[in-house]
Amino acid sequence: MIGKNLSIMHPRPSSIVAALYTLRDLNVDVAILHGPPGCSFKHARLLEEDGIRVVTTALDENGFVFGGRQELSSLLVKVNEMFKPKLIGVVGTCASMIIGEELREPVEDANLDVPVIEVEVHAGYPDNTKGVLITLESAFEVGVIGKEELERQKVLLREATLVEKRHGAASKEYLEPSRGDVKYKVAEKVVRLLQEGKKGITIMNAKKETGYMFADVSAAVNEVALALGKEGNVVNMANIDDSLGLPRVRHHAKCITADLQERGITVHEVIGGMDEYPVTGEKVGELIKQKYSDYDFAIITGVPHAIPMEALEGMEIISVTNGPRQVLPLKEMGHQHVIVEIDLHPKTLGVNHIVESEFGATLREVAKDVLGR
Amino acid sequence: MKDQKRIAIYGKGGIGKSSTASNVAAACADEGYKVMIIGCDPKSDSSITLLGGKRIPTILDLLKQHLDVNEKDIVFEGYGGVKCVEVGGPEPGIGCAGRGIIVAIQKLQKVCPSMNDMDLIIYDVPGDIVCGGFVAPIRKGLVTEAYILTSGEYMPLYAANNICKGLAKIDTPLSGIICNSRSVTREEEIVRKFSEEIGSRLVAFIPKEQVVQDCERDGFSVLEKAPKSDIAQVYRDLAKSIMFNDQSILPGSLDDERLRELTR
Ligand code: SF4
């Protein structure tokens, strides 16, 4: 028997939401939340931007008392008629799971000839990756993914949880959100470094669809370097291997790769797939040791706290994150400059192309000023 | 997984489910079967007579303390090698007992691979099918056959009839009715008639005998403390019919009037 560790006071990502996102990555057409109408509403709506339908059985007090087997099976039938989906997900909530609702029975009652991934999940798990895991296990049972992918994902999930506990939002009892450093100042700093002929690495270590915006930071750095005639001083790393991950995740990698190519930007080192952000650190470390140990600065976007500090020794570090609670842990790790892309996620849902980042835009403007002078 | 009997015993609270379950478990163990008994009643009294009167920690007790639970923390070997597990529950009036059963059973499945080696798993479930949590063992596919324990009195039969409705609703077959006698007149006849009318059968009639109570008070099953008694033989016969049973049906139920008529 071993005890439980540190309890965290700030609200953290929900397993139910994690399940919804995983269903999306599996390309379900419809996800049904079996529970209260307001459960996870913000993400549920956001996800619709990403092309999947999220609906709810809207259990009320009556539903909590009498169960919602009938409601769920009739909603399954209705959704099947309305949207003609090829793959459906059903997601439990605290309410339905506490009263012991079964998802299997209503799915059988509905008797559709569409595969249904049942996810018996509630929000009461300390690690939200639990929601991903339950979804993937259920997807495996229905035959939507293979054993190999399931095992691969399990390793990644374990690592993702560890990363959050080591230097992420799960590392502190309470974390004050912060907007980080002023983008203008950091942009100036980057331009100056390039101007001075310093050598830099862009490391995009992005989590899935967030890559659509983080890739823009890498792009901007390269454009500025080119304008300053220092393009040879920049090396690009990115986790955009398009042969790895769930269907939608591979698709993101393809889109981003194509966009970068079109802009004439070379990714010198592919450091993994877009779901491999928790495990890319080691690869980055090795690459730097072998080829880039004399580089002066690194601009890390996405999940910068997953890259171990040893890998970056001696470099000036500029981090771009989308988590306001990530600023403090990154500063504590030793990242000199940390900036936050606010509202990144809503802007990167449902897109197929790189989206302009605030930092990228600032960098381009600052460079114009410098060149104009 | 090998061929395995996974049964639940239902019946009105206080009708004797736990003593029946533990005596059947002991009798099967005597026959060389590998048996596990899972007590889902917060009272924890299905395993106590297999463990010489000792109480074991319940799964929920340990989970409440936020402990990471292993098989050896929750599975205890009792008389004849019977593996005993107690689910436990929250304090009366606090929290949600039904959810407790769901959580405990999921935990058990996860940490106890030896469940798969059992010949017989007995779920000693709470008195009535009252909420989703209480039928979790069935719903999660852990129980494949149910038995109902009743006496010839009106109230236990009323409960038994209700349970039949419940079982039919959740598609769980009934393998038989067991009569735990309260020495009422025409008792065996009444219960037999009831069994037949709902489409099932009476598998055992357990006479009311003081020795069961006496052994229980000392913390033992009759099989252990009074193996030569007549009642021990009754339990052995019941155990045999459970192990060899191959007829189960989705039960019907009687209307209230018929039920009253039967017990008049
Ligand atoms: S408590 Fe659970 S079920 Fe209720 S809204 Fe929150 S996440 Fe959803």
Side-chain angles (χ1 to χ4, degrees), chain B residues 8 10 40 101 105 123 125 132-143:
Chain B
Y10 285 98
C40 301
I101 296 180
I105 299 243
Y123 287 87
V125 282
F134 285 85
V135 289
I138 297 184
R139 285 276 174 88
K140 302 282 169 207
L142 302 177
V143 167

Side-chain angles (χ1 to χ4, degrees), chain A residues 124-163:
Chain A
Y125 297 103
D127 303 324
N128 75 317
T129 48
K130 184 79 187 182
V132 183
L133 193 67
I134 303 175
T135 311
L136 291 170
E137 269 165 357
S138 176
F140 168 67
E141 266 164 42
V142 196
V144 174
I145 59 168
K147 185 92 198 156
E148 217 172 294
E149 185 61 37
L150 178 65
E151 292 307 321
R152 177 179 171 276
Q153 293 286 344
K154 278 189 189 170
V155 174
L156 292 178
L157 290 171
R158 209 173 309 127
E159 287 304 317
T161 303
L162 286 177
V163 162

Side-chain angles (χ1 to χ4, degrees), chain B residues 243-255:
Chain B
M243 289 315 288
F244 291 101
N245 172 62
D246 56 5
Q247 49 179 124
S248 305
I249 48 108
L250 274 193
S253 50
L254 307 184
D255 60 33

Side-chain angles (χ1 to χ4, degrees), chain A residues 201-207 210-211 213-219 221 237-239 271 277 280 298-307 317-322 330 335 339 341 344 357 359:
Chain A
I201 314 175
T202 71
I203 306 170
M204 171 176 132
N205 190 38
K207 182 174 177 180
T210 66
M213 190 180 279
F214 288 126
D216 180 63
V217 174
S218 300
V221 174
M237 302 186 184
N239 62 329
I271 54 173
Y277 60 92
T280 47
I299 299 171
I300 318 175
T301 60
V303 187
H305 52 290
I307 312 288
I317 306 170
I318 297 117
S319 284
V320 190
T321 164
N322 61 326
L330 284 168
H335 294 213
I339 48 187
E341 286 290 342
L344 176 147
S357 62
F359 185 56

